[in-house]
Amino acid sequence: MINALFSMHENWIPDKSFPDYLIKLGVTDKNVKPSVLQEFKEFWINKPNVKKTHNDWQSALAQSCQYSFNRDRFYKTKRNQNNANTN
């Protein structure tokens, strides 16, 4: 049931339409990195008192993906700036 509250579990996966949701949020890499999904699940599995609906879990995962995407973009830009300054 999509509106039922549940704790995060190892077998949870987002919907097939989830990549399109990421694009709407501005995350141009619409493929969820396996490391991001695993880190997300491990974090929330360790908080069994937190219960959300499937859609709420997807929203939380989208935030994690957006954070990861922005973090990676920031550090890539920073590396490029540092490399340009050393040349």
Side-chain angles (χ1 to χ4, degrees):
M1 193 187 309
I2 206 126
N3 291 323
L5 295 174
F6 61 92
S7 298
M8 180 50 63
H9 55 86
E10 187 62 37
N11 296 323
W12 180 83
I13 57 171
D15 292 343
K16 290 180 181 179
S17 63
F18 185 73
D20 296 329
Y21 181 60
L22 288 177
I23 294 293
K24 290 178 186 176
L25 292 176
V27 179
T28 55
D29 182 3
K30 67 179 187 174
N31 296 315
V32 178
K33 293 180 184 177
S35 61
V36 172
L37 180 58
Q38 189 61 37
E39 181 181 317
F40 173 81
K41 289 197 286 190
E42 287 176 10
F43 177 84
W44 289 107
I45 285 170
N46 288 308
K47 299 185 182 310
N49 294 336
V50 176
K51 296 182 185 327
K52 299 177 183 268
T53 65
H54 180 76
N55 287 338
D56 289 340
W57 283 121
Q58 288 197 138
S59 292
L61 176 59
Q63 283 184 311
S64 291
C65 291
Q66 196 168 30
Y67 174 79
S68 175
F69 174 76
N70 289 335
R71 181 186 61 211
D72 291 350
R73 190 170 54 180
F74 171 80
Y75 284 114
K76 182 178 179 181
T77 300
K78 191 107 172 127
R79 275 193 305 273
N80 289 342
Q81 288 173 347
N82 288 341
N83 288 340
N85 290 336
T86 59
N87 293 330

